[in-house]
Amino acid sequence: MQILVLNSGSSSIKYELFQTDDWSVRAHGLVENIGTQNARLLHREYAGGKEYTSEIALAGADHRQGFASVQEILHANGEQPPAAVGHRVVHGGEFFSAPVLIDGAVTRKISDLIPLAPLHNPANLLGIEVARDCYPDVSQVAVFDTAFHQTMPEYAGRYPLPTELYERHRVRRYGFHGTSHSFVSKTAAKFLDIPYPQFNCIVLHLGNGASACAVQQGKSIDTSMGMTPLEGLVMGTRCGDIDPAIIFYLQRNTGMDLEQIVAVLNR
């Protein structure tokens, strides 16, 4: 049995095809620069102990065309339709603390959370839509970046703001990179031969996005990212923690509107 895993971004689709009997990787690749004349598919396939690489130009391709090209190259190389498709979804809010089968109610919740992750959830939803169209009879599963952090105690998850802002508008710290923090902490515990329910550590996820997580007895108890992926460590394009008053200062003194300031902070 095979499982296809997708990470659909605003301008890319990353994918990996696993064989579930031994969790070996059958194929993986990347559709990048979606929506531009430089769009292309970079594909790697493994067979007979050898690696085969392909590069296909997809000038002007959108997400749907990009995923169709992935589907075509997998089929051309003899791969059968997957038994399930897993999707990385950035923001699950307080609704999701574990992976879920995707249905209409789940997609509506993901859509409702777009204001909290405007750079990520729309692209994640688009990946779900395209995959369901291509594989209508295959189970689709959402795995949320925020789920691992649902074990944070209230003092770590809440901001020092009026309670009404949390109760009416869900303003709180959610945390991200949970799939990475969970995997890395479990792998470290195994490497050190410490039972995971007894394992304490600090995990760092360092890439274009970056965050830290405190794990106590196998559970997330604090993390550097907050209500959105903007908070915390300095990142590739995101500023991380700054004085909140800078936002108001920029609005008053530079003529930038809020959308422009959001772009500065995120991009």
Side-chain angles (χ1 to χ4, degrees):
M1 185 172 74
Q2 295 177 347
I3 291 178
L4 180 63
V5 177
L6 297 179
N7 181 356
S8 179
S10 57
S11 62
S12 68
I13 302 172
K14 298 175 184 176
Y15 63 93
E16 202 148 346
L17 183 68
F18 292 92
Q19 187 72 36
T20 59
D21 54 358
D22 60 0
W23 292 109
S24 60
V25 177
R26 297 277 300 179
H28 69 96
L30 166 70
V31 182
E32 63 178 358
N33 302 318
I34 290 173
T36 74
Q37 292 303 304
N38 296 320
R40 62 176 182 167
L41 166 61
L42 302 174
H43 178 81
R44 288 180 171 82
E45 189 95 8
Y46 302 94
K50 296 182 179 180
E51 178 181 305
Y52 302 89
T53 62
S54 304
E55 179 176 337
I56 301 173
L58 299 173
D62 59 17
H63 280 75
R64 193 172 302 279
Q65 293 164 324
F67 188 74
S69 297
V70 172
Q71 190 182 28
E72 288 169 8
I73 198 168
L74 290 174
H75 180 73
N77 290 331
E79 304 293 355
Q80 299 299 311
V85 179
H87 298 267
R88 180 229 181 174
V89 179
V90 166
H91 214 307
E94 293 180 308
F95 302 114
F96 303 106
S97 59
V100 293
L101 279 171
I102 297 172
D103 58 17
V106 170
T107 56
R108 285 191 293 273
K109 289 293 187 185
I110 296 171
S111 180
D112 289 344
L113 292 164
I114 285 175
L116 298 182
L119 301 183
H120 298 88
N121 273 31
N124 300 155
L125 276 172
L126 185 55
I128 291 170
E129 176 187 338
V130 170
R132 291 174 79 175
D133 288 347
C134 291
Y135 299 117
D137 299 321
V138 172
S139 296
Q140 311 277 331
V141 176
V143 181
F144 298 90
D145 269 19
T146 50
F148 182 62
H149 302 297
Q150 288 297 298
T151 54
M152 286 193 302
E154 187 176 31
Y155 68 79
R158 292 280 296 276
Y159 291 112
L161 293 169
T163 300
E164 180 185 18
L165 294 179
Y166 167 68
E167 293 178 344
R168 294 190 61 183
H169 303 287
R170 316 319 290 174
V171 174
R172 55 156 290 177
R173 176 177 284 110
Y174 294 97
F176 300 89
H177 296 146
T179 53
S180 174
H181 291 307
S182 175
F183 175 80
V184 171
S185 58
K186 287 173 182 174
T187 302
K190 183 178 180 180
F191 181 82
L192 295 170
D193 197 26
I194 300 173
Y196 193 58
Q198 301 172 22
F199 189 58
N200 304 328
C201 69
I202 302 295
V203 182
L204 299 179
H205 176 100
L206 301 177
N208 194 48
S211 64
C213 178
V215 175
Q216 185 177 71
Q217 297 179 349
K219 296 180 179 180
S220 171
I221 61 164
D222 208 346
T223 188
S224 60
M225 281 184 166
M227 179 172 166
T228 76
L230 183 61
E231 185 179 354
L233 310 181
V234 63
M235 304 172 226
T237 64
R238 280 169 272 175
C239 64
D241 286 343
I242 61 170
D243 183 340
I246 291 173
I247 297 168
F248 316 122
Y249 176 86
L250 292 175
Q251 188 177 29
R252 285 195 303 265
N253 292 280
T254 69
M256 286 192 290
D257 60 28
L258 284 177
E259 290 302 317
Q260 291 172 311
I261 294 173
V262 168
V264 168
L265 301 183
N266 280 283
R267 298 184 182 278

